[in-house]
Amino acid sequence: MVNRNLIRSLEDDDILGDLALLAPEDEAEEWLLDAIAAEQQDYNSGKIVDGRIVELNDEWALVDVGFKSEGTVGLDEWGPEEDQPKIGDTVKVLIEEMEDELGAADDPYGMISLSKRKAEKIIEWEAMMETVAEGQVVTGTVIRKIKGGLLVDIGVNVFLPGSQVDIRRPGDIGDFIGRVVQAEVLKIDDTRRNIVISRRSLIERQREEDRAYLMQELEVGQIRKGIVKNIADFGAFVDLGGIDGLLHITDMAWERIGHPTEMLSIDQEIEVKVLHIDREKQKIALGLKQKDRNPWENIETKYPVESVHPGEVVNVMSYGAFVKLEPGIEGLVHISEMSWTKRVNHPSELVNIGDKIDVMILGVDPEGQQLSLGMKQTLKNPWDEVLERYPEGKDVKGKVRNLTNYGAFIELEEGIDGLLHVSDMSWTRKIAHPSEVLEKGQEIECRILSVDEQRRRIALGLKQLDNDPWDGDIPDKYQPGQLVKGEVTKITNFGVFIGLEDGLEGLLHISELAEHKVEDPEEVVKVGDPIEVKVLRVDTDERKIGLSLKRVGWSEEQEKTAAAAEAAESGMPTPMDEGDLKGGLGSAGPLIPTSDSE
């Protein structure tokens, strides 16, 4: 169908006149429409065409793209670095949208939508596609940070994902803005006009090549430059140019450091020494301190045993303090070597980090690089005068510092203790635990029994302040055959202990409880019962008294008969103890004298 209105709108009589000479009117109009249609095919949406600026104002430029088709382009599509548009200039534009395929009869100009900027980007993209392929290395400038990564200008804007910026993702990828980077083209999406690049893959490929070359030429003992790439509590990883080596914290300095950050920082360039190479696992051990002289060389000459030197406390542990004598040379003062007399529960009671102190060299281990130091050895040992101040036999006063199962420690002066053994607390009482006699903090008087200067021990006695009652008082007071009163204090399977006075006890053997055989002593007596018994024997050597309940009412004749029977049954005297202290016999014959034994 012929669009007659369109033909008439041309208002060009010359064109129609020329066509009339060649063909009838209807055919001439058909020819003209065919020509117009052919011309319009080049101006479809998405095409880039040359246009001419025909009009300008403050906001846009009117561009004629041919055959009386015009559109506007905003002036903001000309960058500040470009020459500003002028009427008559030719510019490439993208046809974004046609107003109407053939236009309206009353609108001869039919405005269309144009874009100069998009046309330029498409031209740049097409030009780039002629030179770029996947796997190719490109160079560009990072222009800004976007979601998920960076935008890089390589002639067109391409996407560099954050995970592909470096081998280890940086803390802030925005630091790369403005930097020129090289990267490998990972993917090209021609439909979306999108390119994804990777700087990481390029670095990894380069590092593989560098690593292979470096492992061939690397040797133990070499001094190499490297860049600190990562820092951990145990050390730092140093990039030697394609492969990382571990610089352990113990190989950073001859002196003690708390953390690698005290010496190193990320991206710092340092020189290190190659200590060990594991070519199979591609692991390298590096050292920093090994570049300098080992201060432990000739250590025995510089710090001989028993020499005294000034030092500084650099660390305090529960077991002692570390003292630095010079950079790289430290020794341990064990807690036991801090004071001659003071009981040190923790070294911080005497020293703190930073204190300047004098120490004595007690031992040197060059191979283990260890020094054993002492603080107390620089002071006078008070135990050197203990024998003079605390001779044997001297009565002294002290305070009960501690109680144990076997005795009590008595503080005579600060740092000087004596042991009062439980067996030296009473002549007569059988004491199971010191708490029966003493309490912590109590002031007491006791006697020096012995002094072991070498082992630093003083033995004390409490009972020794009084005379031994077994030497006269007890044998005089308790005679065989005598009736005495007491109280049941303890019952055992072999007999009963009877309290007589002031802790003095005698043994009433199970055989002396009754005339009949007793299986259980508690059938006869109970603890706390008052009781009257007969003294059978007093043994001053064993410090024991033998008692009898069944013989309380015996006559002298009964005693003689029992003594004779026991002597015949025994056959020979036997020593007396708690289990053998039976009524009539002992090493001295019958317990109770008879007319025959006298």
Side-chain angles (χ1 to χ4, degrees), residues 282-547:
Q282 292 192 339
K283 291 184 178 181
I284 302 171
L286 306 174
L288 195 58
K289 71 180 184 182
Q290 287 80 2
K291 293 170 38 184
D292 303 322
R293 183 188 64 84
N294 186 350
W296 287 88
E297 293 177 3
N298 303 319
I299 190 71
E300 292 172 298
T301 303
K302 191 171 185 180
Y303 295 101
V305 174
E306 295 187 356
S307 61
V308 178
H309 303 271
E312 178 184 352
V313 179
V314 293
N315 199 11
V316 177
M317 308 297 289
S318 60
Y319 52 84
F322 288 93
V323 179
K324 180 174 71 174
L325 303 183
E326 65 173 81
I329 300 296
E330 293 180 9
L332 173 65
V333 179
H334 193 268
I335 191 171
S336 62
E337 304 296 344
M338 289 188 165
S339 174
W340 289 113
T341 58
K342 188 177 178 65
R343 289 175 296 277
V344 184
N345 296 315
H346 194 278
S348 58
E349 297 174 10
L350 296 180
V351 295
N352 293 297
I353 293 176
D355 287 353
K356 302 290 192 299
I357 61 173
D358 288 333
V359 291
M360 177 179 285
I361 308 297
L362 303 182
V364 181
D365 180 4
E367 294 183 3
Q369 296 186 355
Q370 295 178 341
L371 288 179
S372 177
L373 308 176
M375 286 171 51
K376 67 184 182 183
Q377 288 79 3
T378 62
L379 305 173
K380 188 175 181 180
N381 184 357
W383 278 91
D384 293 342
E385 301 174 354
V386 164
L387 280 176
E388 298 177 9
R389 296 203 308 274
Y390 300 104
E392 292 184 14
K394 180 180 180 180
D395 293 341
V396 294
K397 290 184 178 181
K399 181 184 291 186
V400 178
R401 185 178 63 82
N402 194 22
L403 298 176
T404 68
N405 291 331
Y406 53 86
F409 286 95
I410 311 299
E411 184 179 51
L412 304 180
E413 62 179 76
E414 185 178 10
I416 303 294
D417 286 351
L419 174 62
L420 174 57
H421 196 270
V422 68
S423 63
D424 289 311
M425 291 183 179
S426 173
W427 290 113
T428 59
R429 288 183 60 182
K430 186 173 182 180
I431 300 172
H433 193 276
S435 58
E436 298 174 14
V437 180
L438 305 171
E439 61 182 24
K440 194 172 181 180
Q442 179 182 350
E443 295 275 353
I444 65 168
E445 184 176 4
C446 45
R447 180 167 294 172
I448 304 294
L449 301 183
S450 64
V451 178
D452 186 339
E453 186 177 7
Q454 185 175 0
R455 300 172 68 186
R456 296 179 186 173
R457 293 181 180 178
I458 298 177
L460 303 175
L462 183 61
K463 69 182 183 182
Q464 286 80 1
L465 295 174
D466 300 319
N467 292 327
D468 185 356
W470 288 94
D471 288 342
D473 292 347
I474 292 176
D476 293 341
K477 188 173 182 180
Y478 298 96
Q479 299 291 325
Q482 178 182 353
L483 294 178
V484 294
K485 292 183 178 180
E487 182 179 312
V488 177
T489 57
K490 185 167 61 174
I491 297 176
T492 69
N493 60 353
F494 56 82
V496 178
F497 284 94
I498 308 298
L500 301 176
E501 60 172 273
D502 297 330
L504 179 64
E505 292 180 333
L507 176 63
L508 174 57
H509 194 269
I510 192 171
S511 63
E512 296 295 332
L513 277 172
E515 296 289 349
H516 62 276
K517 185 176 182 180
V518 178
E519 297 292 342
D520 183 1
E522 287 193 290
E523 297 175 359
V524 182
V525 295
K526 304 292 183 185
V527 173
D529 287 351
I531 191 171
E532 185 178 39
V533 290
K534 180 180 286 188
V535 177
L536 299 183
R537 181 175 176 181
V538 178
D539 188 336
T540 56
D541 293 334
E542 295 291 330
R543 298 175 182 268
K544 295 176 182 178
I545 298 177
L547 305 173

Side-chain angles (χ1 to χ4, degrees), residues 72-86:
T72 58
V73 178
L75 294 184
D76 59 355
E77 293 202 27
W78 276 267
E81 72 283 354
E82 295 182 89
D83 294 334
Q84 293 304 299
K86 300 185 296 294

Side-chain angles (χ1 to χ4, degrees), residues 117-135:
R117 183 176 296 156
K118 291 181 180 179
E120 290 173 344
K121 289 188 178 297
I122 292 174
I123 292 171
E124 290 173 353
W125 173 265
E126 291 175 347
M128 182 62 65
M129 288 303 97
E130 295 178 1
T131 60
V132 174
E134 291 183 358

Side-chain angles (χ1 to χ4, degrees), residues 133-305:
E134 291 183 358
Q136 184 176 336
V137 177
V138 294
T139 303
T141 303
V142 179
I143 55 177
R144 68 175 181 272
K145 184 178 178 180
I146 61 176
K147 183 178 180 181
L150 299 170
L151 203 61
V152 182
D153 181 8
I154 64 169
V156 296
N157 290 342
V158 298
F159 179 56
L160 174 57
S163 62
Q164 301 298 316
V165 172
D166 207 337
I167 293 176
R168 299 181 183 90
R169 181 161 182 164
D172 183 9
I173 59 175
D175 295 339
F176 280 78
I177 295 175
R179 288 175 55 176
V180 176
V181 298
Q182 280 192 320
E184 180 183 359
V185 177
L186 289 185
K187 183 180 180 182
I188 298 175
D189 188 340
D190 197 34
T191 303
R192 298 183 179 181
R193 295 194 180 97
N194 183 31
I195 298 178
V196 180
I197 61 174
S198 171
R199 181 172 175 267
R200 173 178 176 172
S201 64
L202 185 62
I203 295 174
E204 288 178 341
R205 188 169 62 190
Q206 184 62 49
R207 283 175 65 88
E208 284 295 330
E209 296 174 0
D210 293 343
R211 183 181 293 113
Y213 175 75
L214 185 62
M215 289 301 290
Q216 289 179 355
E217 66 170 11
L218 207 60
E219 297 293 341
V220 173
Q222 288 179 344
I223 302 296
R224 289 275 182 169
K225 285 186 177 180
I227 305 294
V228 178
K229 287 300 182 183
N230 195 18
I231 295 178
D233 292 339
F234 55 84
F237 290 95
V238 181
D239 182 2
L240 300 177
I243 189 169
D244 287 351
L246 174 61
L247 174 58
H248 198 271
I249 187 172
T250 57
D251 290 312
M252 290 183 180
W254 290 109
E255 58 185 319
R256 182 190 300 269
I257 61 172
H259 196 272
T261 51
E262 296 177 16
M263 295 190 62
L264 304 174
S265 59
I266 299 293
D267 293 331
Q268 178 183 353
E269 184 179 57
I270 59 174
E271 278 192 346
V272 290
K273 188 172 185 178
V274 179
L275 304 181
H276 178 72
I277 303 172
D278 186 337
R279 300 186 186 277
E280 183 178 347
K281 296 182 179 179
Q282 292 192 339
K283 291 184 178 181
I284 302 171
L286 306 174
L288 195 58
K289 71 180 184 182
Q290 287 80 2
K291 293 170 38 184
D292 303 322
R293 183 188 64 84
N294 186 350
W296 287 88
E297 293 177 3
N298 303 319
I299 190 71
E300 292 172 298
T301 303
K302 191 171 185 180
Y303 295 101
V305 174

